[in-house]
Amino acid sequence: MMGSRIPPLARKEFKHILRDPRSLWIIFMLPNVMMFLFGYAIDLDLKDVRLGVCDLSRTPQSRELVAAIDASSYFSVVARCENPEETERLFERRVIRAGVIIPRDFARELERERRATVGIVIDGSDANSASIVQNYLEAFIATHSAGAGGAGEGRAAAGAQGAGAAPLIAARPVVFYNRTLDSTNFIVPGLVAIVMMMLGALLTSVTIAREKETGTMEQILVSPIRPFEVIAGKTLPYLVLAFSIAMMIVAVGHFWFKVPFTGSAAALMLYCLLYLFTALALGILISTLVSTQQVAMMLSLMLTLLPTIMLSGFIFPIASIPRVLQLVSLVLPATHFLVIIRGVMLKGSTLPDLWMHGAALVGIGLILMILAVKRFSLKLGAKGGRA
Amino acid sequence: MNERSVVVKNLAKSFGDFVAVDRVSFEVRAGEIFGLLGANGAGKTTTIRMLTGLLRPTSGGGTVGGWDINAQFEMIKKSIGYMSQRFSLYNDLTVKENLQFFGGVYGLGRARVEERTAELDEALGLGEWLDRRTAALPLGFKQRLALGAAILHKPAIVFLDEPTSGVDPIARRRFWELINALAADGVTIIVTTHYMDEAEYCNRLCVMHAAKIVSLGSPAELKARHGAHSIEDVFIQLVRGA
C-alpha cells in the first residue's frame, strides 16, 4: 500500500508542464533563439575588413602587396590615400577599420636590406577585433613576403617584428580539430552548456518556488512524504525536459550550423545527464533561498548566465583570466562540460578521455544536492508563519 | 469519547524576539470539535503548525494521536489531515486529479483513491465538477475540495486553519455540516476561526490573545463565566480586558 510517492509527484508535474503550452513553447523556443543570435552574431572570424591603403612607395613591389591584401577574403581595400593624414581622417570617420601605410623607401629597402617595414593603423577601441585584425594583417604580410621571397622577387619580412635577416623559412601553423578555425564550431557547443545550465536551474527553482508561493508546498510537506521524495518527484520531469532540449540544441548545432560531431552520442548523453544533475541541484538550492517565483527566476539567471558566459571558457580562454577567477571557473560545472562537449563534438573524445571532467561534475553536483536537501529539510522545521 | 486525542503542555514558539505562542496548554478529546478563537496574530496558526509537524516548538511539547510532537513527526503526519489558511490545491489540475495526487502523496493505492473519491463525491457533492479544472470552481466548492483532500486518507485528527475565510454564509453553513458529520464519525477536529458565529458550533473553545490562552471552555461555559450573551461579547471582553 505504501508505494513510492515519487511517481504521483512526477506525474502531476508533467501535467503542469503540458497544461501550460505557452511556457512550454517559450522553453523550447528560447534556446533556439539564443542559438541563432549567438550563432550568427558572435562571429569571431573577420571577413572583408574595410582597409585604407596609403602607398607612398608606388613601385611594382608595393602594388603587388596591396593587390594581394585586397584579393584575400579577410580584407577589402576600400580607399587608396595620397598621404598618411588622409588615412587617419578616413579612420576617424570610420570609413575604414584599419590602415596600411607603405613607406616611400619600401621597395629600395626591400632590395637593399632584404626587409622592409609597413605601418599598420588599427582601431583599438574594440580591443577584441583590433587584436584579430592585427594578427591577420601581420600574418598575412609575413606570409606574402615569404611567398614573394620564394618567387625570387625581393624578400620582405614586414610587420611589427622587423627581424634581422629575411626569413626564407616561414612558420606554417597547422590547426587540429577545428581545421577552419571557424568560431561557430566553438560557440555552438558552448551555447549548449549555457542553455542547459540556465534552463535546468531556472525551471527547477521556479517550479518549487511556485508551490511555496501558492501554499501547495505546505500541503505536501504536511503529508508523510520525505524531502528527498519531494525533490526527486519535482525535478525528474524537468530532467527529462531539459535533456530533450539539450539534444535538440545539439541537433540544431550539428545539422543547421554544421558543427561536426565526431565523438560518441552515448558519451555526450551521459555527460549531459551529469551536467543537468548539477544544474537541477543548483535550482533546488536556489529555491530554498527564495519564496517567490520572480526572485527564483532572477537569482537563477544571475547565478547561471553571467559566470557561465564569462568564466567557463565559453568565449574567453580560462588561461587569460586572473588567477583567482580561474579558481572560480574550476568549480563551475560549465567549465568542465565545455571541455567535454567540445571534446566529444570536435575532437571525437571518448567517454574515458574525459573522465576527470565527468568526475568533477559528479562532485560539484553531489555537493550542491547535499546542500539543497539539507536546506530543504531545514526549512521544513524552521519555516515560520505567524497568526 | 474520553480518549485524549491531542495533549499540549506549555507549548511555546518564538521567532527571534517575537513570541508567537506563549506556554499554551490544552487537551482535546477524540471526536471533539475544538475551536481556537482569536484575532489575527494571536498565535492560532503557529499553534496548529506546531501540532502538524510543520514547525518545531521552541519549548514545551505534547502529543497528537499519542505521538510526540517533538520527535515523532512522521507518525503524526500519517494520522492527521490539514487544511491550510490559503486554498492550496492545484488550479491547473481537475478536481479528480487533485484528489488522485494527494492520494498518491499519502501512499494510497489507485483503487483506494477511486473508492475514497466516490465516497467524497457523495459527501461533498462534487458531482459534475469532478472532471473540471479546479480554477473554475466557486470558492465555496474549492474549500470543500480542500477539505476532501485533507480527509482523503481518513485521518483520525483534522486540523482546519480558518477554513471558511472569504466564503459566503450559505457555503459556510454547508461546510460546517460536513465538519459535524466528520466529528460524528469520531474524527477529532481542531479548527481556528475568527468568525464568532462559527465559534458557537464548537464543542469547546480556546480563546487566544497575544500568544496566550485567555479563556477555555464550552461556548455555554464561556458565556456564563463572563456574563455575556454571545461569544462575540465574551471575546470583546477578554481582548479589552487583557
Side-chain angles (χ1 to χ4, degrees):
Chain A
M1 174 182 150
M2 303 300 276
S4 169
R5 299 182 174 94
I6 299 172
L9 249 166
R11 220 176 295 132
K12 174 203 72 121
E13 209 58 36
F14 268 122
K15 282 181 190 156
H16 288 318
I17 296 170
L18 294 175
R19 287 195 188 161
D20 188 2
R22 217 170 39 174
S23 300
L24 194 61
W25 176 244
I26 293 173
I27 290 168
F28 271 94
M29 280 318 287
L30 186 78
N32 281 314
V33 170
M34 278 180 80
M35 281 283 277
F36 280 83
L37 278 180
F38 278 85
Y40 284 117
I42 302 194
D43 192 351
L44 296 179
D45 307 317
L46 292 175
K47 282 188 191 77
D48 292 325
V49 173
R50 295 187 310 276
L51 219 58
V53 175
C54 174
D55 182 4
L56 299 173
S57 169
R58 294 171 207 275
T59 51
Q61 288 92 330
S62 70
R63 273 193 289 275
E64 195 192 337
L65 176 66
V66 173
I69 292 176
D70 195 20
S72 85
S73 66
Y74 306 126
F75 305 103
S76 83
V77 176
V78 295
R80 288 168 198 272
C81 313
E82 294 300 315
N83 48 50
E85 290 74 35
E86 198 185 334
T87 318
E88 254 168 60
R89 253 197 322 280
L90 288 175
F91 190 72
E92 275 158 20
R93 282 167 45 212
R94 301 187 67 90
V95 174
I96 56 174
R97 288 185 67 184
V100 176
I101 297 160
I102 304 172
R104 221 173 287 279
D105 53 357
F106 175 72
R108 217 178 326 136
E109 215 171 294
L110 207 58
E111 293 284 313
R112 206 176 54 221
E113 315 242 340
R114 303 185 125 202
R115 68 185 187 92
T117 313
V118 173
I120 301 172
V121 190
I122 302 165
D123 181 0
S125 63
D126 179 354
N128 209 24
S129 10
S131 72
I132 297 171
V133 171
Q134 182 186 345
N135 289 335
Y136 273 39
L137 263 178
E138 277 179 20
F140 190 82
I141 292 169
T143 319
H144 173 74
S145 58
E153 264 203 27
R155 305 164 191 104
Q161 64 266 53
L168 285 166
I169 304 161
R172 280 205 24 215
V174 177
V175 180
F176 281 135
Y177 311 129
N178 183 6
R179 284 183 186 281
T180 51
L181 270 184
D182 193 344
S183 61
T184 317
N185 290 351
F186 195 63
I187 295 284
V188 167
L191 268 177
V192 179
I194 289 179
V195 168
M196 277 169 74
M197 178 49 64
M198 184 192 79
L199 271 184
L202 185 75
L203 293 176
T204 29
S205 68
V206 167
T207 182
I208 296 176
R210 183 193 298 133
E211 298 229 20
K212 282 165 96 176
E213 207 175 314
T214 55
T216 45
M217 186 52 85
E218 193 170 271
Q219 204 66 53
I220 293 176
L221 292 182
V222 82
S223 79
I225 199 164
R226 289 187 182 82
F228 86 87
E229 290 176 313
V230 178
I231 288 176
K234 280 201 72 72
T235 49
L236 270 177
Y238 290 98
L239 186 69
V240 174
L241 187 67
F243 184 74
S244 38
I245 289 171
M247 293 303 110
M248 176 189 78
I249 334 177
V250 171
V252 171
H254 180 58
F255 293 110
W256 183 271
F257 289 101
K258 306 281 180 242
V259 176
F261 196 112
T262 52
S264 117
L268 186 65
M269 282 182 185
L270 177 81
Y271 284 123
C272 268
L273 283 176
L274 290 184
Y275 182 55
L276 274 175
F277 173 65
T278 67
L280 299 187
L282 179 66
I284 298 162
L285 188 60
I286 290 171
S287 77
T288 65
L289 302 169
V290 305
S291 48
T292 65
Q293 294 176 67
Q294 244 154 25
V295 181
M297 197 180 294
M298 304 233 289
L299 203 58
S300 304
L301 289 179
M302 222 173 68
L303 286 178
T304 56
L305 275 186
L306 220 62
T308 309
I309 291 177
M310 307 303 284
L311 302 178
S312 68
F314 169 53
I315 293 178
F316 309 113
I318 292 171
S320 70
I321 60 178
R323 182 81 29 105
V324 184
L325 292 178
Q326 283 187 21
L327 292 178
V328 176
S329 84
L330 265 184
V331 300
L332 289 182
T335 307
H336 301 282
F337 185 67
L338 264 172
V339 177
I340 291 170
I341 190 171
R342 281 175 179 159
V344 171
M345 289 186 82
L346 306 177
K347 289 165 62 174
S349 303
T350 58
L351 206 118
D353 292 340
L354 301 160
W355 75 271
M356 261 181 54
H357 295 284
L361 287 182
V362 172
I364 297 168
L366 276 180
I367 290 170
L368 285 174
M369 195 55 101
I370 289 167
L371 281 176
V373 174
K374 270 212 159 136
R375 272 202 61 91
F376 192 86
S377 317
L378 195 79
K379 269 271 165 193
L380 216 158
K383 210 179 114 196
R386 305 166 173 180
Chain B
M1 278 292 199
N2 282 322
E3 189 202 330
R4 294 182 306 174
S5 188
V6 174
V7 179
V8 173
K9 248 201 150 67
N10 292 322
L11 191 64
K13 179 75 190 179
S14 347
F15 300 99
D17 289 338
F18 176 78
V19 181
V21 173
D22 191 4
R23 286 160 294 160
V24 161
S25 304
F26 58 84
E27 290 182 3
V28 185
R29 289 184 293 273
E32 192 175 24
I33 302 180
F34 187 81
L36 285 169
L37 187 67
N40 289 328
K44 297 172 304 202
T45 296
T46 308
T47 304
I48 283 208
R49 290 170 62 88
M50 284 190 279
L51 297 181
T52 51
L54 284 171
L55 206 59
R56 305 280 176 264
T58 308
S59 65
T63 57
V64 168
W67 309 106
D68 187 344
I69 62 166
N70 276 309
Q72 296 165 304
F73 333 104
E74 296 308 315
M75 298 314 293
I76 290 178
K77 286 177 172 182
K78 278 180 192 163
S79 48
I80 61 163
Y82 170 70
M83 178 178 163
S84 80
Q85 225 163 4
R86 287 187 289 175
F87 172 75
S88 45
L89 298 176
Y90 301 96
N91 277 321
D92 57 340
L93 299 186
T94 67
V95 171
K96 204 184 240 165
E97 285 167 339
N98 264 301
L99 292 176
Q100 278 166 351
F101 169 66
F102 282 104
V105 162
Y106 277 95
L108 305 184
R110 203 169 278 254
R112 180 77 182 129
V113 174
E114 285 285 315
E115 192 184 316
R116 284 294 288 148
T117 304
E119 283 171 29
L120 287 173
D121 177 19
E122 200 168 314
L124 307 178
L126 298 171
E128 53 177 315
W129 297 98
L130 264 178
D131 290 311
R132 301 270 296 270
R133 295 257 174 112
T134 308
L137 294 183
L139 190 58
F141 251 95
K142 283 187 179 177
Q143 237 109 12
R144 257 184 278 167
L145 175 61
L147 178 67
I151 60 171
L152 198 65
H153 58 296
K154 289 218 157 196
I157 305 161
V158 176
F159 292 88
L160 308 168
D161 193 5
E162 305 205 352
T164 57
S165 52
V167 173
D168 67 73
I170 295 175
R172 239 162 69 194
R173 190 55 169 269
R174 277 213 65 181
F175 193 86
W176 274 91
E177 283 166 10
L178 293 171
I179 292 177
N180 280 323
L182 274 178
D185 279 347
V187 177
T188 308
I189 312 275
I190 296 183
V191 57
T192 73
T193 184
H194 51 234
Y195 290 115
M196 301 302 155
D197 57 333
E198 282 187 358
E200 303 267 5
Y201 299 137
C202 299
N203 299 128
R204 279 193 310 140
L205 272 178
C206 165
V207 185
M208 287 189 77
H209 179 67
K212 288 190 165 87
I213 293 179
V214 286
S215 200
L216 199 154
S218 71
E221 280 168 10
L222 287 184
K223 279 185 272 192
R225 193 181 304 159
H226 299 279
H229 296 290
S230 67
I231 292 296
E232 187 160 356
D233 290 339
V234 171
F235 185 69
I236 289 169
Q237 267 191 40
L238 283 170
V239 171
R240 287 231 176 107

